[in-house]
């Protein structure tokens, strides 16, 4: 497999889609940057719901679409909240239906692995950007099957703030349509094996894991009455499900602490179709930080606020 290092993982997605254009299937709860990258590359997207069994893309919906829609050229499988779910058997089914369908295994919220994967996926992605498992503030890398290529075209980048753009669309309940800012995507890549970059990942991974385990143990001990997604979903952040999410989040912010409401279904930026499982998860999940941005004392205080707010 080819190893590709980039300023952003989304830049790799852009160049892959530019090389292999068409319609890509995405989970409705995907980060908005992914469909924006695909559309910026001149292709289009088709959203499907997630499964309540895995909280990842509905495999049955994907198979039905690929069997009935010849415009579909690929799908992007996202490991929701960096979960450890192994989709290789699903990938085999997809290739058996239509071998030419491209599979992108998006592991950008997963624990970064620097070893080349044994996978059916055509492209496997990791990220070390802001708020990822390992946070260098930038950087992403991918493993691409040897027979495939990425577009080599020049991509102009001017630093436009795409996050502010799509958050404003969410706030105003408007569709993205043809309003995507020009020059927002940093698509700089290299095919060279960047030993310094990967050594840096390897050097910090153990410390990151230890810190997350310490904070997770506080949540696990103190938030005993909450429905949790399970340990496989707590590597990136620690996830709980609550009935009165807005009230709990307001109490957290009022106390000067933080949590995340990740993600509002990005499908709502592009289409009117309602995806009930993605919407339900968004309305109930709270992502509690377990990274370098939170101390153990803050984590304890956070559990006290959540327990009190939910009485």
């Amino acid at each position: 497999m080819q190893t590709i290092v980039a300023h952003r993982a989304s830049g790799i997605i852009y160049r892959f889609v530019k090389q292999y254009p068409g319609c890509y299937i995405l989970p409705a709860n995907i980060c908005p940057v992914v469909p924006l990258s695909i559309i910026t590359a001149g292709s289009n997207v088709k959203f499907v719901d997630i499964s309540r069994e895995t909280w990842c893309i509905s495999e049955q919906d994907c198979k039905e679409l690929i069997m009935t829609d010849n415009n579909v050229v690929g799908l992007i499988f996202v490991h929701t909240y960096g979960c450890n779910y192994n989709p290789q058997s699903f990938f085999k089914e997809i290739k058996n239906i239509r071998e030419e369908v491209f599979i992108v295994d998006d592991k950008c919220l997963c624990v970064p692995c620097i070893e080349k994967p044994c996978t059916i996926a055509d492209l496997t992605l990791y990220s070390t950007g802001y708020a990822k498992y390992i946070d260098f503030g930038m950087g992403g890398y991918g493993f691409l099957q040897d027979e495939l290529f990425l577009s080599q075209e020049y991509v102009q980048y001017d630093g436009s703030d795409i996050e502010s753009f799509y958050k404003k669309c969410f706030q105003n309940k408007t569709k993205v349509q043809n309003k995507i800012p020009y020059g927002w995507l940093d698509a700089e890549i290299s095919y060279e094996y960047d030993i310094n970059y990967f050594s840096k990942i390897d050097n910090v991974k153990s410390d990151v894991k230890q810190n997350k385990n310490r904070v997770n143990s506080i949540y696990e001990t103190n938030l005993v009455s909450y429905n949790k997604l399970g340990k496989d979903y707590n590597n990136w952040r620690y996830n709980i499900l609550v009935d009165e999410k807005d009230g709990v989040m307001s109490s957290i912010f009022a106390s000067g602490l933080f949590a995340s409401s990740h993600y509002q279904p990005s499908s709502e930026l592009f289409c009117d179709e309602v995806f009930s499982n993605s919407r339900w998860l968004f309305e109930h999940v709270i992502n509690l930080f377990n990274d370098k941005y939170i101390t153990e004392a803050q984590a304890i205080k956070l559990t006290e606020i959540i327990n009190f707010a939910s009485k």
Side-chain angles (χ1 to χ4, degrees), residues 116-131:
K116 293 182 178 181
C118 179
T119 179
I120 297 169
D122 298 285
L123 174 63
T124 302
L125 290 172
Y126 291 95
S127 176
T128 56
Y130 173 71

Side-chain angles (χ1 to χ4, degrees), residues 15-295:
R15 291 186 180 277
F16 184 87
V17 172
K18 196 72 176 179
Q19 185 70 30
Y20 304 106
C23 179
Y24 283 77
I25 302 173
L26 308 179
N29 69 333
I30 197 168
C31 170
V33 168
V34 176
L36 287 167
S37 298
I38 292 171
I39 293 169
T40 300
S43 286
N44 59 337
V45 299
K46 177 71 176 179
F47 293 99
V48 301
D49 209 352
I50 58 175
S51 163
R52 288 212 181 195
E53 294 179 358
T54 63
W55 298 117
C56 297
I57 198 167
S58 169
E59 298 177 9
Q60 185 60 36
D61 288 353
C62 287
K63 289 185 284 188
E64 290 176 2
L65 263 178
I66 290 168
M67 285 188 288
T68 59
D69 189 345
N70 290 329
N71 293 318
V72 171
V73 299
L75 70 88
I76 298 185
F77 186 96
V78 179
H79 292 254
T80 299
Y81 306 143
C83 68
N84 293 325
Y85 177 71
N86 187 344
Q88 291 301 314
S89 60
F90 168 56
F91 293 169
K92 288 180 183 178
E93 291 183 77
I94 294 300
K95 292 294 188 179
N96 286 336
I97 294 171
R98 257 205 290 146
E99 186 176 2
E100 67 273 19
V101 171
F102 295 108
I103 299 173
V104 178
D105 195 6
D106 184 341
K107 307 185 80 170
C108 288
L109 292 185
C110 295
V111 180
C113 178
I114 62 177
E115 297 178 357
K116 293 182 178 181
C118 179
T119 179
I120 297 169
D122 298 285
L123 174 63
T124 302
L125 290 172
Y126 291 95
S127 176
T128 56
Y130 173 71
K132 300 302 191 294
Y133 182 91
I134 290 177
D135 180 354
F136 293 156
M138 65 174 295
Y141 61 100
F143 299 105
L144 181 69
Q145 296 290 353
D146 286 331
E147 67 274 14
L148 300 178
F149 304 91
L150 298 184
S151 168
Q152 297 298 304
E153 71 166 23
Y154 170 74
V155 181
Q156 182 173 337
Y157 171 62
D158 62 15
S160 296
D161 187 356
I162 197 66
E163 185 175 351
S164 295
F165 166 73
Y166 69 70
K167 284 186 175 180
K168 185 175 181 180
C169 290
F170 273 134
Q171 183 179 359
N172 296 335
K173 297 182 179 180
T174 59
K175 298 293 186 286
V176 167
Q177 297 175 337
N178 297 320
K179 306 171 186 175
I180 302 174
Y182 182 75
W184 69 270
L185 180 58
D186 184 353
E188 186 71 22
I189 64 165
S190 171
Y191 283 91
E192 298 179 3
Y193 189 86
D194 191 330
I195 190 168
N196 292 328
Y197 175 59
F198 288 109
S199 294
K200 189 177 178 182
I201 291 173
D202 202 37
N203 288 339
V204 304
K205 187 187 295 188
S206 177
D207 289 341
V208 169
K209 181 179 180 180
Q210 288 180 17
N211 184 70
K212 285 180 178 288
N213 286 342
R214 283 194 298 268
V215 177
N216 280 356
S217 67
I218 294 171
Y219 294 142
E220 188 68 26
T221 300
N222 294 341
L223 297 172
V224 293
S225 62
Y226 286 89
N227 188 2
K228 303 159 186 175
L229 293 186
K231 65 179 182 179
D232 287 342
Y233 296 82
N234 291 334
N235 291 319
W236 170 66
R237 290 179 185 163
Y238 192 93
N239 298 286
I240 61 173
L241 299 172
V242 298
D243 290 328
E244 301 295 336
K245 176 176 174 177
D246 290 343
V248 175
M249 291 291 286
S250 294
S251 296
I252 292 171
F253 292 139
S255 301
L257 296 174
F258 299 94
S260 172
S261 181
H262 180 281
Y263 293 113
Q264 182 171 346
S266 64
S267 58
E268 297 173 5
L269 292 171
F270 303 92
C271 66
D272 293 321
E273 188 174 355
V274 176
F275 298 97
S276 57
N277 291 340
S278 298
R279 169 48 63 171
W280 186 93
L281 182 61
F282 170 69
E283 291 175 346
H284 291 82
V285 72
I286 294 179
N287 315 129
L288 303 178
F289 292 107
N290 56 8
D291 52 22
K292 63 183 181 182
Y293 298 105
I294 188 168
T295 65

